[in-house]
């Protein structure tokens, strides 16, 4: 059968554009379908990009890309009961390993870069159906039918092509709800400095946390919480980010509100990443890392997209479009799967109720005890053991969790 392109990419976010740029540079005929009016119109993220993958994709991106601020300060805040809070920070002023970004600006710029290289992007194009036909896959869209021997699904967490072909099953514990506001406010920092605040426990009942990222003249304020914990939240989902913002005391004009589903699988629970004529990248593949220190998806999206573009070249040259396992083999040699595997122990630990609620409460109690002077006073270790027993947690369990966190 005749095909419209060597490769069709569904989704014009970071992973899809990176796959398109790489495939075009490898000499392939590529069409990218983006459902928004422009790239970035439908994309939501916390707004922090670790730039190592971007520099591999576009070596001079630091000089040209619309990045906001380098992140030079990490602040962690843990809310406890009784108006108590733990706060600690780490600052490294000359560091330029990650930047805050506004996706509507950045993705538009990246799409322009891709189009200048020859990538054909069809905007406002929605995939309505997908089915196998002959030696390829046919996509029915609101703008007509397209066929290709290889499809790269970069459509986000809903993985539309995989889902339409019956290759995805979703459960609420594997998705997070991300909600975000862009707030116009004074950012009292030098232009070459930026801060990320990671906040746990501000909203009770939910499994997840909040963030505040400093942009040039705005703040990105939001939360990411698992879908299965939403019924236990003290606020309904529609009020979550507003309640969070008010609780942490941020005021200003709301310039933008957005909500989005986020993958939350972890390395050992990843969905199928490839099938005959089909590979998944970025959120569609479930690529997100939360290891307690970093929450990452954008560099994984760019990295997996680049690998998909290179794998597409190999697959097209071989003319064996069922051999998409080559993509997975290349992923295994890359930072994408290696970093996901490295993060899994902490990812699993973070998902424990002990980590998100019980341990922070114990730590607050111990600190309160240590900063309180009365007639009777314990040693630090004895007070800690007492507080563990109070919650019914064996010391051995805490040691095992600590070992899991650092190994």
């Amino acid at each position: 059968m005749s095909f419209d392109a060597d490769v069709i990419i569904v989704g014009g976010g970071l992973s899809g554009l990176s796959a398109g740029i790489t495939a075009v540079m490898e000499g392939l005929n590529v069409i990218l379908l983006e459902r928004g009016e422009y790239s970035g119109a439908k994309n939501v993220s916390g707004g922090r990009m670790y730039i190592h993958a971007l520099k591999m994709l576009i070596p001079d991106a630091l000089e040209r890309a619309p990045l906001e601020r380098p992140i030079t300060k990490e602040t962690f805040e843990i809310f406890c009961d009784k108006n108590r809070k733990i706060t600690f920070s780490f600052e490294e002023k000359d560091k330029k390993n990650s930047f805050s970004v506004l996706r509507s600006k950045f993705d538009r710029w990246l799409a322009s870069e891709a189009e200048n290289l020859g990538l054909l992007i069809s905007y406002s194009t929605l995939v309505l159906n997908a089915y196998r036909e002959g030696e390829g896959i046919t996509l029915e869209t609101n703008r007509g039918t397209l066929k290709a021997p290889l499809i790269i699904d970069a459509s986000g967490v809903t993985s539309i092509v995989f889902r339409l072909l019956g290759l995805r099953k979703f459960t609420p514990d594997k998705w997070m709800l991300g909600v975000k506001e862009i707030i116009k406010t004074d950012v009292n920092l030098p232009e070459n400095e930026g801060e990320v605040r990671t906040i746990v426990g501000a909203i009770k009942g939910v499994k997840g946390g909040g963030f505040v990222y400093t942009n040039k003249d705005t703040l990105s304020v939001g939360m990411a919480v698992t879908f299965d914990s939403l019924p236990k939240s003290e606020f309904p989902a529609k009020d979550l980010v507003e309640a969070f913002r008010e609780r942490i005391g941020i005021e200003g004009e709301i310039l933008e509100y957005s909500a989005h589903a986020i993958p939350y699988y972890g390395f050992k629970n990843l969905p199928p990443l490839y099938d005959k004529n089909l590979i998944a990248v970025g959120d569609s593949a479930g690529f997100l890392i939360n290891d307690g220190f970093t929450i990452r998806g954008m560099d994984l999206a760019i990295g997996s997209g680049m690998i998909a573009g290179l794998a597409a070249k190999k697959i097209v040259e071989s003319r064996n479009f069922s051999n998409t396992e080559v993509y997975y083999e290349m992923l295994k040699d890359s930072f994408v799967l290696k970093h996901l595997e490295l993060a899994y122990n902490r990812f699993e630990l973070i998902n424990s109720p002990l980590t998100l609620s019980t341990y922070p409460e114990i730590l607050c109690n111990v600190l309160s005890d240590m900063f309180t002077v009365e007639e009777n006073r314990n040693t630090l270790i004895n007070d800690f053991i007492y507080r563990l027993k109070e919650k019914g947690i064996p010391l051995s369990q805490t040691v095992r969790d600590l070992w899991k966190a650092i190994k």
Side-chain angles (χ1 to χ4, degrees):
M1 64 185 297
S2 61
F3 295 110
D4 296 292
D6 295 324
V7 183
I8 294 177
I9 301 169
V10 179
L14 295 180
S15 61
L17 290 169
S18 300
I21 287 171
T22 306
V24 165
M25 292 179 69
E26 291 293 321
L28 299 183
N29 179 15
V30 186
I31 299 173
L32 186 148
L33 310 180
E34 164 55 36
R35 66 192 179 103
E37 295 179 2
Y38 56 87
S39 284
K42 301 292 184 179
N43 294 321
V44 180
S45 76
R48 179 181 191 172
M49 178 186 292
Y50 292 87
I51 58 169
H52 64 113
L54 176 62
K55 289 193 294 184
M56 289 190 289
L57 180 67
I58 302 176
D60 63 344
L62 278 186
E63 287 72 47
R64 300 192 296 111
L67 304 171
E68 291 291 304
R69 287 175 177 267
I71 302 304
T72 57
K73 184 177 181 180
E74 314 274 356
T75 297
F76 292 84
E77 302 175 30
I78 302 170
F79 281 70
C80 303
D81 60 1
K82 303 175 183 176
N83 292 318
R84 299 179 300 177
K85 184 173 74 169
I86 300 169
T87 302
F88 58 95
S89 297
F90 174 75
E91 198 164 359
E92 197 170 359
K93 289 192 175 181
D94 296 327
K95 195 168 189 175
K96 292 187 177 181
N97 181 250
S98 67
F99 283 76
S100 57
V101 297
L102 295 172
R103 289 290 299 275
S104 58
K105 291 182 183 178
F106 184 88
D107 288 27
R108 258 182 135 157
W109 171 82
L110 190 60
S112 176
E113 293 289 305
E115 289 175 313
N116 289 339
L117 290 169
L119 179 62
L120 176 61
I121 303 179
S122 177
Y123 295 104
S124 301
T125 304
L126 182 65
V127 173
L128 306 173
N129 195 18
Y131 53 89
R132 299 189 183 278
E133 183 179 15
E135 297 299 316
I137 292 176
T138 297
L139 302 177
E140 294 180 353
T141 81
N142 60 320
R143 304 183 71 176
T145 299
L146 294 168
K147 302 174 184 177
L150 182 63
I151 304 293
I152 296 176
D153 191 338
S155 61
V157 69
T158 55
S159 314
I160 187 167
V161 182
F162 273 79
R163 179 167 54 84
L164 289 170
L165 293 175
L167 301 171
R168 280 285 188 275
K169 294 182 179 179
F170 301 121
T171 57
D173 62 322
K174 297 298 186 292
W175 279 18
M176 300 186 86
L177 171 66
V179 287
K180 183 185 72 174
E181 293 177 341
I182 303 296
I183 306 297
K184 179 72 175 178
T185 188
D186 292 330
V187 179
N188 297 315
L189 287 172
E191 64 180 17
N192 62 341
E193 295 180 20
E195 181 183 14
V196 166
R197 294 168 62 189
T198 302
I199 302 167
V200 176
I203 302 298
K204 303 304 179 187
V206 294
K207 186 166 69 173
F211 57 83
V212 180
Y213 297 150
T214 53
N215 305 312
K216 287 180 179 178
D217 54 8
T218 61
L219 297 177
S220 296
V221 182
M223 293 197 74
V225 302
T226 59
F227 273 86
D228 61 344
S229 71
L230 284 172
K232 304 172 186 176
S233 172
E234 61 176 312
F235 295 99
K238 65 181 181 66
D239 299 329
L240 203 58
V241 68
E242 184 177 357
F244 170 71
R245 177 171 49 81
E246 289 178 357
R247 189 152 290 178
I248 62 176
I250 290 179
E251 298 180 347
E253 180 186 356
I254 301 172
L255 302 180
E256 177 186 318
Y257 171 86
S258 51
H260 191 59
I262 303 168
Y264 202 64
Y265 290 92
F267 176 74
K268 293 184 180 180
N269 304 309
L270 288 173
L273 305 180
Y274 63 94
D275 201 81
K276 180 182 177 183
N277 309 97
L278 181 62
I279 54 184
V281 293
D283 281 4
S284 184
F287 293 154
L288 180 131
I289 289 175
N290 180 5
D291 65 4
F293 293 95
T294 63
I295 301 174
R296 302 160 45 197
M298 286 190 263
D299 64 318
L300 304 176
I302 294 171
S304 61
M306 293 173 65
I307 293 165
L310 295 172
K313 174 68 170 180
K314 292 186 176 184
I315 294 167
V316 169
E317 285 184 337
S318 73
R319 309 308 299 174
N320 182 5
F321 294 97
S322 63
N323 184 29
T324 49
E325 188 176 357
V326 64
Y327 167 63
Y328 181 67
E329 294 302 319
M330 294 172 71
L331 275 177
K332 288 196 296 185
D333 290 333
S334 75
F335 79 90
V336 176
L337 287 188
K338 288 179 180 178
H339 286 196
L340 277 160
E341 185 174 17
L342 280 172
Y344 185 72
N345 280 333
R346 289 197 294 274
F347 177 88
E348 190 176 41
L349 183 61
I350 288 168
N351 282 312
S352 165
L354 289 177
T355 306
L356 290 176
S357 58
T358 309
Y359 282 146
E361 185 179 345
I362 289 171
L363 184 56
C364 272
N365 287 337
V366 169
L367 288 172
S368 178
D369 291 342
M370 290 298 101
F371 287 116
T372 301
V373 176
E374 294 179 339
E375 292 298 318
N376 296 320
R377 188 167 177 82
N378 259 332
T379 63
L380 179 60
I381 185 62
N382 284 340
D383 192 66
F384 182 64
I385 292 172
Y386 165 74
R387 291 298 186 177
L388 285 174
K389 288 181 177 178
E390 188 178 51
K391 295 294 182 181
I393 303 171
L395 180 60
S396 58
Q397 172 70 55
T398 304
V399 172
R400 285 195 298 271
D401 288 342
L402 180 61
W403 175 247
K404 184 179 286 189
I406 64 176
K407 74 173 183 178

